[in-house]
């Protein structure tokens, strides 16, 4: 059977078994990754999967079932089982489940790709990683590592409302890191970020990163950090590089505005949110420079798609406008409960998993400044970049982050390098202190966002640029 045939059979079987709504996704995914260490290829992974997942809604209960087979009998059995699970779930008292109305869509969509990542010779990919890691070793790194990853996913989606959508999404990226070991001290420097940079694009992204050109610098900085002075402790102005600010957005904005967390549906695995739905439209989240969008339409960003896994088309929305909280990441069922008229942010990491609310591209719109202007305007502060560690509470409110590298900023100039820089804060107070924001935006890709039980790994994007925050606590008090 074709993907559409199998999905249609599953949906019809769920309706025949009593479902009032059903949808099905057939997904075919190819995955490839390679890692190198100290000038040698360490591991090559190549994987392929194909299967069908079907959701059914009976009364107030959802049911889900998945099968690794696309025969008519298997598809129909999956639909029937999903409806039976939904009926069993509906017997547990709970509010009725409605869905935000949606127009049926018949469409095809594919991400832009100049160079097929899986078409590039393995020898060329291996030479890239081997060469970069060998260079880092030559320039003082005790441990030199490189990695790339590729995903090629095709989806066929059918719903009982008339949706019939196919999509092909190709994603890839990579990065390098150098670790240096000293007397009681270990330091790491990474490029372009602590896990690499990723996007919904072809191998041209990895080519543009030019990993080999940055290998020597990364290694030398990791070794220099061993003897750099410790980041001082106290309150000061903090300038964050774009990569670190992307993670700050991810953890203290992106997860906080997921509607399933706000409603209390997602509470077991670092779940819930400090946000109160009654304050949507009025809460002061940050300074007037804070304009955060939910935008899965950004070409090449890792959280981009044509349609989510409920068939909702990709649409740009405001999450925070001039510091005021105005939007959420939602699905059709959670939006209906909250009295909203939009979904569009539901995805699953494979055919075996139930779709859930996930971040798309959640990021800051550009500001009016440059990084050089921000530094020049700072009399006393610390510049930090590239994430090293993160910690945030279940409500996404109180946080502490560590970065790979810092620099002292004195009288408008970047000064000496600092090791082990950290900062801490409370989400809304921190964002309200942002008073300068650069226009030098990069759509950073995060391919390892964890959520749910059973756990799912989501791909998200975060446009971000360097910014300054006033009176932030940095360093570790003795």
């Amino acid at each position: 059977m074709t993907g559409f045939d199998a999905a249609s059979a599953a949906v019809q079987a769920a309706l025949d078994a009593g479902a009032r709504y059903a949808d099905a996704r057939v997904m075919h995914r190819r995955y490839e990754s390679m890692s190198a260490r100290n000038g040698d290829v360490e591991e090559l992974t190549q994987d392929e999967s194909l299967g069908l997942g079907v959701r059914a809604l009976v009364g107030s209960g959802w049911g889900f079932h998945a099968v690794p087979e696309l025969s008519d009998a298997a598809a129909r059995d999956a639909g029937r089982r999903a409806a039976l699970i939904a009926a069993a779930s509906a017997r547990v008292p709970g509010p009725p489940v409605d869905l935000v109305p949606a127009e049926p869509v018949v469409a095809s969509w594919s991400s832009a790709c100049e160079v097929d990542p899986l078409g590039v010779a393995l020898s060329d990919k291996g030479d890239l990683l081997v060469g970069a890691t060998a260079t880092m070793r030559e320039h003082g790194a005790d441990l030199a590592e490189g990695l790339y990853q590729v995903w090629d996913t095709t989806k066929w989606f059918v719903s009982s409302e008339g949706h019939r959508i196919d999509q092909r999404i190709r994603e890839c990226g990579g990065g390098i890191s150098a670790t240096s070991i000293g007397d009681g001290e270990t330091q790491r420097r990474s490029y372009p970020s602590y896990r690499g940079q990723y996007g919904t694009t072809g191998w041209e992204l990895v080519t543009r990163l030019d990993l080999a050109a940055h290998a020597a610098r990364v290694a030398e900085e990791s070794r220099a950090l061993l003897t750099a002075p410790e980041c001082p402790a106290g309150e000061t102005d903090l300038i964050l590089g774009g990569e670190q600010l992307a993670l700050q957005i991810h953890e203290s904005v992106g997860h906080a505005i997921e509607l399933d967390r706000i409603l209390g549906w997602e509470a077991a695995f670092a779940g819930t949110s400090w946000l109160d739905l009654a304050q949507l439209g009025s809460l002061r989240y940050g300074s007037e420079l804070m304009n955060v969008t939910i935008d899965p339409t950004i070409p090449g960003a890792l959280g981009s798609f044509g349609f989510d896994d409920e068939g909702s088309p990709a649409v740009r929305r405001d999450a925070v406008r001039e510091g005021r909280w105005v939007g959420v990441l939602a699905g059709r069922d959670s939006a209906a409960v909250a009295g909203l008229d939009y979904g569009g942010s539901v995805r699953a990491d494979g055919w075996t998993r139930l779709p859930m609310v996930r971040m798309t591209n959640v990021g800051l719109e550009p500001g009016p400044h440059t990084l050089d202007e921000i530094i020049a305007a700072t009399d006393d502060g610390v510049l930090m970049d590239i994430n090293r560690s993160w910690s945030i509470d279940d409500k996404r409110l109180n946080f502490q982050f560590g970065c790979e590298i810092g620099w002292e900023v004195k009288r408008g100039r970047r000064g000496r390098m600092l090791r082990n820089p950290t900062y801490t804060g409370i989400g809304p107070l921190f964002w309200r202190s942002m008073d300068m924001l650069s226009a030098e935006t990069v759509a950073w890709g995060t391919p390892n966002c964890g959520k749910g039980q059973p756990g799912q790994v989501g791909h998200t994007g975060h446009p971000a640029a360097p910014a300054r925050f006033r009176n932030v606590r940095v360093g570790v008090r003795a």
Side-chain angles (χ1 to χ4, degrees), residues 19 48 58 68 79 83 85 114 121 134 147 182 195 205 207 290 298 313 340 356 359 425 442 445 461 471:
E48 185 171 4
V58 176
I85 294 168
E114 297 175 17
L147 167 73
R195 291 184 186 272
L205 182 149
T207 300
M290 187 183 187
I298 300 172
L340 304 174
M356 63 169 64
M359 281 180 253
V442 173
N471 301 319

Side-chain angles (χ1 to χ4, degrees), residues 110-118 152 168-172 200-204:
S110 61
S111 57
C113 178
E114 297 175 17
V115 181
D116 181 2
L118 295 178
D152 188 338
R168 186 180 183 188
I169 301 174
R170 283 180 278 195
E171 306 157 298
C172 72
T200 301
T201 182
W203 192 253
E204 61 272 13

Side-chain angles (χ1 to χ4, degrees), residues 250-269:
H250 180 99
E251 298 292 353
S252 68
V253 180
H255 277 307
I257 64 171
E258 292 170 336
L259 186 53
D260 56 348
R261 289 177 179 270
I262 295 169
L263 294 174
W265 296 1
E266 172 70 15
F269 184 60

Side-chain angles (χ1 to χ4, degrees), residues 56-411:
L57 182 58
V58 176
S60 62
W62 281 109
F64 177 77
H65 193 73
V67 291
E69 185 182 345
L70 300 189
S71 69
D72 183 73
R76 291 186 180 278
D77 186 59
R80 181 183 64 84
R81 289 176 180 270
L84 291 175
I85 294 168
S89 299
R91 286 195 286 270
V92 177
V97 174
D98 293 315
L99 302 177
V100 169
E103 291 293 324
V105 175
V106 178
S108 295
W109 187 86
S110 61
S111 57
C113 178
E114 297 175 17
V115 181
D116 181 2
L118 295 178
V120 178
L122 284 174
S123 58
D124 292 343
K125 297 169 183 171
D127 288 347
L128 171 65
L129 298 183
V130 166
T133 57
T135 298
M136 288 187 286
R137 284 283 285 172
E138 292 167 2
H139 285 261
D142 294 298
L143 176 63
E145 298 175 296
L147 167 73
Y148 77 79
Q149 297 183 85
V150 175
W151 299 263
D152 188 338
T153 305
T154 304
K155 305 180 184 183
W156 296 266
F157 176 82
V158 172
S159 82
S160 58
E161 296 174 331
H163 292 81
R164 189 179 176 92
I165 302 166
D166 64 277
Q167 300 186 82
R168 186 180 183 188
I169 301 174
R170 283 180 278 195
E171 306 157 298
C172 72
I176 56 175
S177 66
T179 302
S180 295
I181 302 169
D183 184 13
E185 189 76 31
T186 300
Q187 294 293 333
R188 184 187 72 211
R189 284 294 282 131
S190 305
Y191 171 81
S193 92
Y194 74 105
R195 291 184 186 272
Q197 168 66 323
Y198 297 85
T200 301
T201 182
W203 192 253
E204 61 272 13
L205 182 149
V206 178
T207 300
R208 287 195 300 267
L209 292 176
D210 200 358
L211 301 178
H214 294 268
R217 172 187 61 81
V218 165
E220 290 164 1
E221 287 183 355
S222 74
R223 185 143 295 278
L225 279 168
L226 292 174
T227 55
E230 193 89 11
C231 177
E235 285 193 1
T236 190
D237 290 346
L238 171 66
I239 303 171
L240 289 183
E243 189 271 356
Q244 175 60 31
L245 192 57
L247 182 72
Q248 181 75 53
I249 295 165
H250 180 99
E251 298 292 353
S252 68
V253 180
H255 277 307
I257 64 171
E258 292 170 336
L259 186 53
D260 56 348
R261 289 177 179 270
I262 295 169
L263 294 174
W265 296 1
E266 172 70 15
F269 184 60
T272 75
S273 170
W274 67 274
L275 292 170
D276 181 349
L277 198 59
Q279 294 180 300
L280 182 64
S282 62
L283 176 73
R284 176 59 60 181
Y285 208 122
S287 73
E288 291 187 355
L289 278 176
M290 187 183 187
N291 293 293
V292 176
T293 59
I294 299 165
D295 191 359
T297 71
I298 300 172
L302 191 60
S304 295
F305 49 79
F307 302 85
D308 79 348
D309 285 348
E310 292 186 310
S312 299
V315 175
R316 180 187 182 280
R317 302 185 188 280
D318 286 339
V320 179
R321 178 53 51 187
E322 295 181 350
R324 186 166 52 90
W325 176 42
V326 295
V328 298
L329 294 151
R332 293 179 62 193
D333 56 353
S334 56
V337 169
L340 304 174
D341 62 357
Y342 61 88
S345 300
V346 166
R347 289 186 291 167
D349 74 354
W351 55 268
T352 62
R353 291 289 183 258
L354 182 69
M356 63 169 64
V357 175
R358 300 306 301 255
M359 281 180 253
T360 61
N361 298 311
V362 179
L364 275 170
E365 290 188 345
H369 308 109
T370 67
L371 176 58
D372 287 344
E373 289 172 348
I374 294 173
I375 292 172
T378 302
D379 186 59
D380 187 8
V382 177
L383 167 62
M384 301 184 191
D385 202 15
I386 308 294
N387 183 259
R388 186 173 181 177
S389 65
W390 64 95
S391 177
I392 192 164
D393 66 11
D394 287 0
K395 289 183 176 293
R396 303 286 149 170
L397 185 61
N398 299 281
F399 62 82
Q400 180 175 8
F401 294 114
C403 294
E404 287 186 356
I405 192 167
W407 291 272
E408 205 172 53
V409 177
K410 294 288 187 183
R411 293 178 292 281

